[in-house]
């Protein structure tokens, strides 16, 4: 029986050998992917009617071959267990068995089952998008004892666990010390009734495109002299910031470091976002007087799902009216639940649509329902060439070649990140003028009053059109 179990596991492992992450900035969790396209992503060398010569699928990005390579930061943040290193995956058998034997799996109160004997009750998942290669995120129904039983039964290690307010349950980051693919482990964990949701620890990227006075006030019809977000509480999830920058003087109400063990090296992006929202002095933001609650969750332009969820929970505890999320990554159900529950608390969620180009798949969290997805336009209301497109794009705002505060003083910035900051600041003006406005009411007003820029009505390039804050303020709920 043991020999059959090993053979069965080998068959499952062989089926998952081609699971790999696509490069960062090419998120491919498009809900419209066909099964053939997913198959192409899972077979990097596949050639056929539905696959190009490089294993690409139409509109789905390209699949990387071999092991997953992440920035050094991520590797340092989440090291393998002692004695680890890159996992050596065995060569799959040429003719795998047709079926796997029904080997017992871990159930509550059952004896411990060793990882080689585990049989996945679901097909191994094709994990799309960039992710930490030796970790999974799991929500658990139970206490620390239940968490440890899962770790022991499934050959995992507990790297962190905490009670998540927005998820409403215990979130556990399990490490995979033996080199099993993430897709296999997620499938195996599905056998255990107390694991409620199981997801990869996806990697997300800040959305700064590159590099002349801030023309945003004029384009969104916001009177610079009257602009104010006084006493409006706003959370920003981003990089660290340069608190000594004059534009942020008196702006930051509180800070939270979601990755305290990682030194802060770059402060530009977060400083620019906060400054565009509520900056003071020469580099005045859209909503001076607003109170920024800043969560540092990125370094080297990268973060992970676990870190971002921690920052979101902290933000929700600060009683903020708006959360700005100027980053993009693959679809992750845990992030979707957190966003949905934050919106249920009455928080307006604003996110960058993404800078990955017209053919890029949807960017998240912007593509989740209840999140205002912002694309970027220039001083002549032209669309930023590298902006993502799609039915999820909600509204347009200035985001091309704008002067903003940075860690070095000031810089010219471009990207949907900065357009999102403009929208966040503009919404703060609406709350300042009418504190009783609801999140739903704000969203409807923005959609109804936007200046149509593309084809008549909402379109995949500009969404409802260019933000018109003067008209939105006059709109009634």
């Amino acid at each position: 029986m043991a020999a059959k179990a090993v053979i069965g596991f080998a068959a499952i492992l062989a089926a998952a050998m081609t699971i790999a992450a696509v490069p960062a900035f090419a998120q491919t969790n498009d809900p419209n992917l066909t099964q053939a396209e997913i198959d192409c992503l899972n077979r990097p060398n596949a050639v056929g009617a539905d696959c190009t010569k490089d294993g690409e699928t139409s509109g789905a990005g390209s699949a990387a071959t071999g092991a997953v390579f992440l920035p050094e930061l991520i590797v340092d943040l989440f090291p393998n267990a002692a004695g680890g290193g890159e996992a050596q995956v065995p060569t799959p058998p040429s003719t795998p068995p047709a079926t796997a034997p029904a080997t017992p799996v871990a159930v509550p109160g059952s004896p411990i089952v060793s990882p080689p004997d585990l049989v996945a009750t679901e097909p191994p998942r094709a994990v799309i998008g960039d992710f930490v290669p030796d970790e999974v995120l799991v929500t658990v129904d139970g206490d620390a004892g239940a968490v440890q039983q899962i770790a022991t039964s499934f050959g995992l290690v507990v790297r962190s666990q905490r009670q998540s307010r927005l998820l409403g349950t215990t979130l556990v980051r399990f490490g995979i010390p033996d080199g099993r693919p993430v897709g296999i482990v997620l499938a195996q964990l599905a056998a255990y009734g107390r694991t409620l949701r199981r997801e990869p620890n996806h990697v997300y990227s800040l959305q700064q495109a590159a590099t002349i006075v801030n023309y945003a006030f004029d384009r969104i019809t916001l009177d610079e002299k009257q602009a104010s977000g006084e006493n409006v509480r706003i959370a920003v999830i981003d990089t660290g910031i340069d608190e000594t920058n004059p534009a942020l003087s008196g702006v930051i109400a509180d800070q939270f470091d979601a990755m305290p063990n990682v030194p802060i090296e770059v402060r530009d992006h977060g400083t620019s976002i906060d400054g565009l929202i509520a900056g003071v002095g020469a580099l005045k933001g859209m909503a001076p007087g607003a109170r920024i609650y800043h969560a540092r969750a990125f370094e080297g332009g990268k973060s992970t799902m676990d870190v971002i969820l921690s920052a979101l929970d902290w933000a929700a505890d600060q009683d903020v009216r708006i959360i700005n999320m100027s980053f993009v990554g693959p679809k992750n159900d845990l992030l979707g639940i957190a966003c949905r529950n934050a919106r249920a608390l009455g928080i307006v969620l604003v996110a960058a649509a993404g800078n990955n180009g017209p053919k890029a798949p949807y960017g998240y969290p912007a593509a989740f329902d209840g999140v205002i997805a912002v694309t970027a336009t220039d001083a002549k209301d032209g669309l930023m060439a590298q902006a993502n497109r799609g039915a999820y794009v909600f509204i347009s705002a200035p985001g091309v070649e704008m002067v903003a505060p940075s860690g070095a003083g000031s810089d010219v910035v471009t990207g949907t990140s900065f357009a999102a900051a403009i929208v966040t600041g503009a919404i703060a003006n609406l709350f300042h003028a009418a504190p009783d406005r609801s999140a739903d009411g704000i969203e409807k007003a923005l959609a109804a009053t936007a200046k149509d820029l593309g084809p008549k009505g909402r379109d995949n390039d500009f969404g409802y059109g260019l933000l018109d804050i003067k008209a939105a303020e006059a709109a009634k709920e």
Side-chain angles (χ1 to χ4, degrees), residues 126-216:
V127 183
I128 306 303
D130 203 0
F131 60 94
V132 181
D134 65 341
E135 289 187 350
V136 291
L137 295 180
V138 181
T139 53
V140 175
D141 176 19
D143 56 15
V147 171
Q148 189 55 54
Q149 182 185 6
I150 294 170
T152 303
S153 297
F154 289 86
L156 305 173
V157 293
V158 179
R159 292 187 175 166
S160 67
Q161 60 180 302
R162 62 183 180 82
Q163 184 67 26
S164 169
R165 177 185 179 186
L166 292 178
L167 299 180
T169 187
T170 300
L171 176 65
V172 185
R173 179 165 57 94
F174 287 111
I176 309 170
D178 57 8
R180 278 172 292 164
V182 165
I184 286 285
V185 174
L186 293 174
Q188 290 172 341
L189 286 167
Y192 193 80
R194 299 183 78 169
T195 64
L196 305 178
R197 289 186 177 272
R198 302 153 295 277
E199 291 290 332
N201 195 7
H202 277 120
V203 175
Y204 290 71
S205 306
L206 293 170
Q207 293 297 285
Q208 178 169 350
T211 324
I212 263 189
V213 184
N214 190 340
Y215 56 88

Side-chain angles (χ1 to χ4, degrees), residues 418-435:
F418 309 109
I422 296 299
V423 171
T424 293
I427 292 173
N429 279 264
L430 297 181
F431 278 130
H432 172 68

Side-chain angles (χ1 to χ4, degrees), residues 54-406:
D54 295 323
E56 295 180 349
T57 60
S58 175
S62 59
T65 60
V68 178
F69 293 95
L70 292 176
E72 184 177 356
L73 165 72
I74 303 300
V75 175
D76 291 341
L77 262 177
F78 308 100
N80 291 321
E86 291 192 9
Q88 300 299 315
V89 183
T91 303
S94 57
T95 308
T99 58
T103 303
V105 295
V107 294
S110 68
I112 293 174
V113 180
S114 63
D117 289 333
L118 293 170
V119 173
T121 59
E122 295 181 351
R125 288 177 53 177
V127 183
I128 306 303
D130 203 0
F131 60 94
V132 181
D134 65 341
E135 289 187 350
V136 291
L137 295 180
V138 181
T139 53
V140 175
D141 176 19
D143 56 15
V147 171
Q148 189 55 54
Q149 182 185 6
I150 294 170
T152 303
S153 297
F154 289 86
L156 305 173
V157 293
V158 179
R159 292 187 175 166
S160 67
Q161 60 180 302
R162 62 183 180 82
Q163 184 67 26
S164 169
R165 177 185 179 186
L166 292 178
L167 299 180
T169 187
T170 300
L171 176 65
V172 185
R173 179 165 57 94
F174 287 111
I176 309 170
D178 57 8
R180 278 172 292 164
V182 165
I184 286 285
V185 174
L186 293 174
Q188 290 172 341
L189 286 167
Y192 193 80
R194 299 183 78 169
T195 64
L196 305 178
R197 289 186 177 272
R198 302 153 295 277
E199 291 290 332
N201 195 7
H202 277 120
V203 175
Y204 290 71
S205 306
L206 293 170
Q207 293 297 285
Q208 178 169 350
T211 324
I212 263 189
V213 184
N214 190 340
Y215 56 88
F217 287 100
D218 177 62
R219 301 317 306 151
I220 69 171
T221 67
L222 177 61
D223 186 336
E224 181 179 359
K225 295 180 180 179
Q226 299 297 320
S228 175
E230 186 176 1
N231 296 325
V232 178
R233 299 161 74 95
I234 302 171
V236 174
I237 300 174
D238 216 281
T239 68
I241 57 174
D242 180 4
E243 297 175 79
T244 67
N245 192 301
L248 299 187
S249 178
V251 172
I252 308 302
D254 198 4
Q255 294 190 62
F256 170 72
D257 194 342
M259 45 199 320
N261 296 323
V262 180
I264 300 177
E265 296 183 1
V266 179
R267 305 170 186 265
D268 296 332
H269 196 276
T271 302
S272 294
I273 296 299
D274 287 359
L276 287 170
I277 293 172
V280 297
L283 296 175
K284 186 178 181 179
M286 298 292 103
R291 306 294 289 159
I292 300 292
Y293 292 78
H294 190 97
R296 180 243 181 172
F298 284 82
E299 192 59 55
K302 300 288 184 181
S303 187
T304 64
M305 189 74 279
D306 182 48
V307 172
I308 291 170
L309 287 171
S310 176
L312 274 169
D313 274 327
W314 176 81
D317 284 337
Q318 309 313 306
D319 192 30
V320 297
R321 302 299 303 272
I322 314 165
I323 298 178
N324 187 94
M325 300 178 287
S326 290
F327 52 84
V328 161
K331 185 178 182 181
N332 187 295
D333 283 347
L334 298 177
L335 180 59
I337 293 169
C339 288
R340 183 170 67 246
N341 289 340
R343 181 60 183 268
L345 293 173
I347 301 172
V348 176
L349 304 173
V350 180
N355 305 333
N356 298 329
K359 296 183 179 181
Y362 287 9
Y364 293 85
F368 286 122
D369 289 342
V371 178
I372 295 174
V374 184
T375 193
T377 52
D378 60 24
K380 296 182 179 180
D381 301 337
L383 188 66
M384 186 181 79
Q386 61 268 50
N388 285 34
R389 318 292 164 88
Y392 73 101
V393 175
F394 186 86
I395 204 160
S396 307
V400 178
E401 294 185 344
M402 296 190 301
V403 175
S406 74

